[in-house]
Amino acid sequence: MPSEILNQAWRTIVPERGARFGPLPPLMLLLTVVTGFVDAFSYLALGHVFVANMTGNVVFSGFAVAGAPGFSLAASLAALAAFAVGALGGGRIARIHNTHRGRHFSTSILIETAVILAAYLVAQLGPEPDKNAAIRYVLIALLGIGMGVQNAAARSLAVPDLTTTVLTLTITGTSADSKLAGGPGGKPGRRLLSVAAMFLGGLIGATAILHGHAPLSLLCAAILLLTATSVAWRTRTSEADWTRP
């Protein structure tokens, strides 16, 4: 069993030649780490708000309406709206490139990279967001749009167990599909790797923020996105089987 889990994790990082989803699994894994970095920044540096986890923002909105301290209804609604705009754009990209996964992914990630880089520059060069409301909302908007595009791409490409932003179903599947639960076993190696990827991004991002280097979390996210974009861009002319939905 441990060897099977390790093999599943390895084949997520290094797919076999001719694999059904080509290079997408390791790229999606990179995006999962990005989510950890970005949500660490939004929650710890922008107040109690997420830009990738929209379930959290809906709950936070309820907290704010109830009068719980430390929560902002305006910030949560801004994140929800920005994410929706990003997802809308991501949906348009999916339909324009619905015959080629490589073009779909590379276009989506290029846009996300540009938005996250812009957010990094605002965070690095502008006033601290906790001292300037305008900067705070600009960052929420940019990051929300970027994560909306990412989530739309992940949803459309539908690489199993690599949603990049939502781990609830991933963790549920790990337990519910396990042989202990009488299930087929699923792919716990890939699922656990996805959880570890987001944990790693959150851990490093939070460490940077807590030591006074908040923009570094966004810089790390941008570097990973640039890496993913450079790899994905080479697939735009590929005619491999995995590129066809």
Side-chain angles (χ1 to χ4, degrees), residues 210-225:
L210 294 175
H211 285 81
H213 305 289
L216 181 60
S217 184
L218 295 183
L219 178 60
C220 290
I223 290 171
L224 290 181
L225 285 168

Side-chain angles (χ1 to χ4, degrees), residues 7-141:
N7 183 62
Q8 290 168 1
W10 176 249
R11 284 308 175 193
T12 299
I13 299 171
V14 184
E16 295 178 298
R17 182 180 295 273
R20 179 184 174 194
F21 290 95
L24 290 179
L27 293 173
M28 291 296 192
L29 205 59
L30 276 183
L31 298 189
T32 306
V33 181
V34 167
T35 298
F37 279 120
V38 171
D39 259 350
F41 179 84
S42 69
Y43 190 85
L44 296 175
L46 302 180
H48 293 165
V49 62
F50 286 123
V51 292
N53 179 8
M54 292 301 108
T55 302
N57 285 325
V58 173
V59 176
F60 292 166
S61 296
F63 293 169
V65 171
F71 295 93
S72 167
L73 178 61
S76 293
L77 293 179
L80 285 163
F83 187 91
V85 169
L88 178 66
R92 292 293 300 169
I93 293 168
R95 284 154 185 80
I96 292 170
H97 298 295
N98 63 356
T99 61
H100 197 286
R101 282 194 173 112
R103 295 188 192 108
H104 174 193
F105 183 81
S106 59
T107 301
S108 297
I109 300 311
L110 177 64
I111 292 172
E112 181 184 0
T113 301
V115 172
I116 299 302
L117 273 172
Y120 164 69
L121 291 174
V122 171
Q124 180 65 43
L125 302 176
E128 293 182 14
D130 60 345
K131 297 177 181 177
N132 188 298
I135 291 296
R136 182 190 184 200
Y137 282 98
V138 166
L139 288 169
I140 289 173

Side-chain angles (χ1 to χ4, degrees), residues 221-238:
I223 290 171
L224 290 181
L225 285 168
L226 284 168
T227 302
T229 301
S230 66
V231 173
W233 205 256
R234 301 171 193 170
T235 71
R236 293 181 67 85
T237 57
S238 173

